[in-house]
Amino acid sequence: MTELEPRLPAWLAAEPGLRRWRRWTDWPLTALAAIFLALYAVQVLHVSADENTRAIVEAGIWVIWLVFVADYVIRFWLARRKLRFVLRNPFDLLVVVLPMLRQLRALRVVTIITLLNRRLIHTLHQRVAVYASGATILVGLCASLAVLDAERDAPDATITTFGDAAWWTLTTITTVGYGDRYPVTGEGRIVAATLMVGGIALLGVVTGLVASWFVRMLKGTEEAAAERAEQAEDVLLAEIAELRAEIRAMADHLAEQRRDD
């Protein structure tokens, strides 16, 4: 048993083949997901790139996607209970299906989030604060790229630069919603809806973390105060015992003097 296996879901614990495959491929797939994010960022932001550069970037994205497809097919083949595997991994299926839909190509960011989340949720277990921060940054970056990719060339678009997209993402994920930037395409609205749900979830995590931090701080303060009170009580009892011993010694001394007299 490895360090990660006890943390795996119960259904995966009954799939030794999937566990071994996941153990071998998690880090390589995570690296590919990071490369996928970099290529997608270049594709969205570097619109002035020449034809050769755009072709190389597009080819790299499709090659990585084919690796993800192969990973899904192999895991499906290794799974003992095929239907349960499909039902337990809906986002992995989206990773395979979405890039084929050109009109939804911005939603290929699901690939990045799913693959990176698969690794981070294990390596950062019991370090939720770090995970929540990383997830917020990752979701915000992916949403900014996706909404810019969907909106930039649309008629009457209000999100036409990465700065606009980042500002829209910030106001949306924090549920502020100024309304000065908003998506006008169907694809952009799907990204917005996903970000809204994700923003609520992340805010819930952050709120829980802050509340937990305050509870720990108050508990630590109470424990420190109790410890100081206990130490003071011990010192006081020791001083009382010492005074009693001195009084007893003085009483014995006076009694001896009376006997001598």
Side-chain angles (χ1 to χ4, degrees):
M1 297 287 286
T2 66
E3 181 184 355
L4 294 179
E5 284 185 7
R7 303 174 185 176
L8 295 176
W11 71 269
L12 188 56
E15 297 282 0
L18 286 179
R19 290 204 312 272
R20 287 193 298 270
W21 177 258
R22 190 168 184 168
R23 191 162 58 243
W24 294 336
T25 60
D26 263 358
W27 279 116
L29 289 176
T30 301
L32 284 177
I35 296 172
F36 189 102
L37 175 59
L39 292 175
Y40 184 64
V42 170
Q43 188 180 58
V44 174
L45 300 178
H46 193 23
V47 291
S48 60
D50 57 75
E51 190 66 27
N52 289 335
T53 302
R54 290 199 298 270
I56 292 172
V57 170
E58 186 70 15
I61 287 176
W62 282 105
V63 167
I64 295 175
W65 173 75
L66 288 174
V67 174
F68 294 152
V69 173
D71 170 66
Y72 184 84
V73 171
I74 292 172
R75 287 189 294 125
F76 179 80
W77 177 72
L78 290 174
R80 294 177 176 177
R81 299 176 62 178
K82 312 296 185 185
L83 180 59
R84 183 177 64 176
F85 170 79
V86 174
L87 295 177
R88 294 285 185 173
N89 297 276
F91 286 104
D92 290 357
L93 183 59
L94 289 178
V95 166
V96 175
V97 174
L98 283 178
M100 300 176 63
L101 307 176
R102 296 298 298 174
Q103 69 272 25
L104 295 178
R105 67 193 185 100
L107 297 185
R108 287 184 292 190
V109 295
V110 174
T111 302
I112 307 160
I113 296 173
T114 301
L115 267 295
L116 289 179
N117 179 72
R118 185 194 301 176
R119 166 53 56 181
L120 291 175
I121 200 169
H122 292 298
T123 58
L124 296 181
H125 185 64
Q126 294 180 340
R127 287 176 281 174
V128 183
V130 179
Y131 175 67
S133 302
T136 302
I137 295 172
L138 178 62
V139 170
L141 175 59
C142 292
S144 299
L145 292 173
V147 77
L148 178 61
D149 191 19
E151 295 290 312
R152 179 166 45 202
D153 300 323
D156 302 324
T158 62
I159 302 173
T160 56
T161 67
F162 184 72
D164 294 338
W167 173 250
W168 171 83
T169 299
L170 180 63
T171 58
T172 302
I173 203 171
T174 56
T175 68
V176 174
Y178 279 112
D180 55 342
R181 299 286 185 270
Y182 52 88
V184 296
T185 66
E187 185 181 351
R189 287 168 180 166
I190 293 175
V191 174
T194 305
L195 182 61
M196 290 172 190
V197 175
I200 293 173
L202 288 173
L203 281 178
V205 172
V206 172
T207 303
L209 288 172
V210 172
S212 176
W213 179 77
F214 273 114
V215 169
R216 286 198 305 270
M217 290 293 294
L218 291 174
K219 184 177 180 181
T221 302
E222 291 176 355
E223 289 178 351
E227 184 178 355
R228 287 194 298 268
E230 185 177 352
Q231 292 175 351
E233 183 180 359
D234 292 340
V235 172
L236 182 60
L237 291 175
E239 292 179 351
I240 291 173
E242 185 178 351
L243 288 173
R244 285 178 176 174
E246 291 179 359
I247 293 172
R248 193 176 298 112
M250 292 177 61
D252 293 341
H253 181 68
L254 289 174
E256 290 179 1
Q257 284 187 343
R258 289 196 186 102
R259 285 195 299 269
D260 293 341
D261 295 340

